[in-house]
Amino acid sequence: MQILSIESSCDETAAAVIRDGREIVSSVVATQIEEHRMYGGVVPEIASRRHCESIVGVVNEALEKAGMTAKDVDAIAVTFAPGLIGALLVGVNFAKGLAFSLGKPLIPVHHIRGHIAANYLAHKELEPPYMCLVASGGHSHIVRVNSYTEFETVGRTVDDAAGEAFDKAARAMGFPYPGGVFIDKASKLGDPSKYKLPKPKTQNPYDFSFSGLKTAVINLIHNADQKGEEIDVNSLAACFQNTVSEILTDKFIAAALEFGYKKIALAGGVAANSGLREMLSAAAEKNGMALYVPPLPLCGDNAAMIGCQGYYEFLAGNIGDESLNAVATMSLDKVKF
Ligand code: KG4
Ligand code: ZN
């Protein structure tokens, strides 16, 4: 079965062709990051307009690279939730028009389920059940993946997501948007023990709280400014990355131990972070757990992961109809369309 998948939930317009859920036939990602960078973050209206301009070209390119026309695909999968509403609407409406004009099934896909599925494309042997840590720009979740389409979130952020914390801390350090990758690079040149940063507590031990950590970075920079002291940005980046990685790793491993998982996975944009990958892989090894991590191109937003999850949603009978709408916020555990 060949699925054409479409992703437009934030600032990447993406399309892919996926064969039988696990094989990437083609994958195209058009990013708008350069344009949003000058505003220090994603501007929703600009994102929607760029999706509108790019979507036909991106879908055509994915089909061309796959050596196909739209008639050759068996179904159309699309991210319908969660995300920026105006951005999602572009992909949903396009997918709907295409699916119904071709008379093919329309498969609505939850964006975070897609991030989790990215691991299936790289690790053919990976099958549920396992536990997944999802860390992206908008979400930080510890999830029990009971089957391809059944999820149980046991921990989530109570304020900022991990990626959001990276981006806000990076902004305070003077890096461009999105700053996660700049912190990652700077960390390699810094001393991770130079500054002491807090690890905010949460009521549920598997929830996350990153806003206090972000504020601590901002305060540290302001205090140094007021005293005319120089900040060692590389070391501050290393301390921040180390602290976030420790929080994510410690809570995730504790949850995996409590729920008895020997198989764990990492997903989402922050999964690209080299410090987190290293720390988590050492902790998994120490605890005798098999860790699955997506390759870098599948960590950030892409449509291949949506086509993969779309395949399993199709097998489970989760097909959309002409009333399908985009939804800005939706739990991963209870998907409704
Ligand atoms: O999953 P994603 O592409 O978009 C959402 O669904 O939110 O995640 C984007 C986030 C951004 O906050 C970005 O700074 C972060 O992932 N990110 C990183 C790295 N690469 C991307 N954070 C830390 N280190 C990285 N290497
Ligand atoms: Zn994402």
Side-chain angles (χ1 to χ4, degrees):
M1 177 182 194
Q2 304 188 112
I3 293 180
L4 170 67
S5 51
I6 294 167
E7 154 66 38
S8 72
S9 67
C10 190
D11 56 353
E12 261 93 33
T13 318
V17 175
I18 300 300
R19 187 171 293 136
D20 297 332
R22 295 269 184 159
E23 186 195 338
I24 303 175
V25 183
S26 67
S27 176
V28 177
V29 180
T31 183
Q32 315 168 353
I33 277 179
E34 287 303 326
E35 194 169 356
H36 295 290
R37 188 162 276 161
M38 55 186 166
Y39 302 101
V42 176
V43 183
E45 183 181 336
I46 294 178
S48 310
R49 289 179 181 280
R50 293 300 163 264
H51 287 308
C52 199
E53 288 162 11
S54 312
I55 197 154
V56 175
V58 167
V59 168
N60 279 341
E61 194 181 331
L63 287 167
E64 258 166 47
K65 283 191 167 155
M68 291 178 185
T69 69
K71 291 198 180 87
D72 302 322
V73 302
D74 301 299
I76 316 287
V78 65
T79 305
F80 81 107
L84 298 172
I85 195 69
L88 287 165
L89 280 167
V90 176
V92 166
N93 254 321
F94 185 89
K96 225 189 213 186
L98 191 58
F100 292 115
S101 65
L102 292 166
K104 314 261 174 170
L106 175 68
I107 313 167
V109 177
H110 188 285
H111 182 76
I112 303 301
R113 289 188 177 194
H115 272 300
I116 294 172
N119 273 305
Y120 300 134
L121 295 164
H123 308 292
K124 307 292 178 210
E125 73 283 13
L126 177 61
E127 283 176 7
Y130 60 93
M131 185 167 255
C132 189
L133 169 66
V134 188
S136 74
H139 305 265
S140 305
H141 289 317
I142 295 178
V143 186
R144 303 179 71 177
V145 184
N146 297 334
S147 79
Y148 289 106
T149 52
E150 287 162 299
F151 302 81
E152 221 177 302
T153 303
V154 299
R156 57 176 64 71
T157 183
V158 296
D159 40 57
D160 292 351
E164 194 179 352
F166 262 103
D167 296 342
K168 287 178 177 166
R171 188 179 184 157
M173 291 177 211
F175 294 118
Y177 175 85
V181 69
F182 293 96
I183 289 193
D184 198 344
K185 281 187 192 142
S187 297
K188 295 190 173 28
L189 309 168
D191 167 10
S193 59
K194 181 155 180 179
Y195 300 101
K196 186 98 193 89
L197 293 173
K199 284 190 190 165
K201 294 237 167 357
T202 53
Q203 232 171 6
N204 166 0
Y206 306 133
D207 279 347
F208 300 106
S209 168
F210 291 113
S211 109
L213 180 57
K214 165 200 72 189
T215 309
V217 168
I218 294 170
N219 288 345
L220 204 143
I221 294 171
H222 282 174
N223 285 342
D225 263 0
Q226 277 168 355
K227 290 185 198 150
E229 288 169 7
E230 189 91 357
I231 282 276
D232 171 0
V233 175
N234 292 335
S235 293
L236 185 55
C239 292
F240 179 80
Q241 175 167 300
N242 216 45
T243 307
V244 173
S245 301
E246 267 171 17
I247 295 169
L248 290 169
T249 300
D250 291 351
K251 290 186 179 233
F252 182 38
I253 295 290
L257 286 172
E258 183 183 324
F259 290 97
Y261 287 95
K262 283 283 171 196
K263 205 162 38 163
I264 59 172
L266 177 62
V270 181
N273 186 265
S274 62
L276 175 61
R277 288 166 90 98
E278 263 169 45
M279 202 179 283
L280 191 53
S281 116
E285 202 182 316
K286 192 171 151 218
N287 288 282
M289 295 170 184
L291 171 68
Y292 295 86
V293 176
L296 294 186
L298 292 176
C299 289
D301 289 346
N302 64 86
M305 67 187 197
I306 302 303
C308 173
Q309 182 60 25
Y311 175 73
Y312 293 105
E313 298 289 351
F314 178 83
L315 294 185
N318 299 330
I319 314 289
D321 63 19
E322 62 280 355
S323 69
L324 181 68
N325 208 340
V327 185
T329 42
M330 182 177 289
S331 146
L332 166 71
D333 306 8
K334 289 188 206 93
V335 165
K336 272 194 240 113
F337 49 81

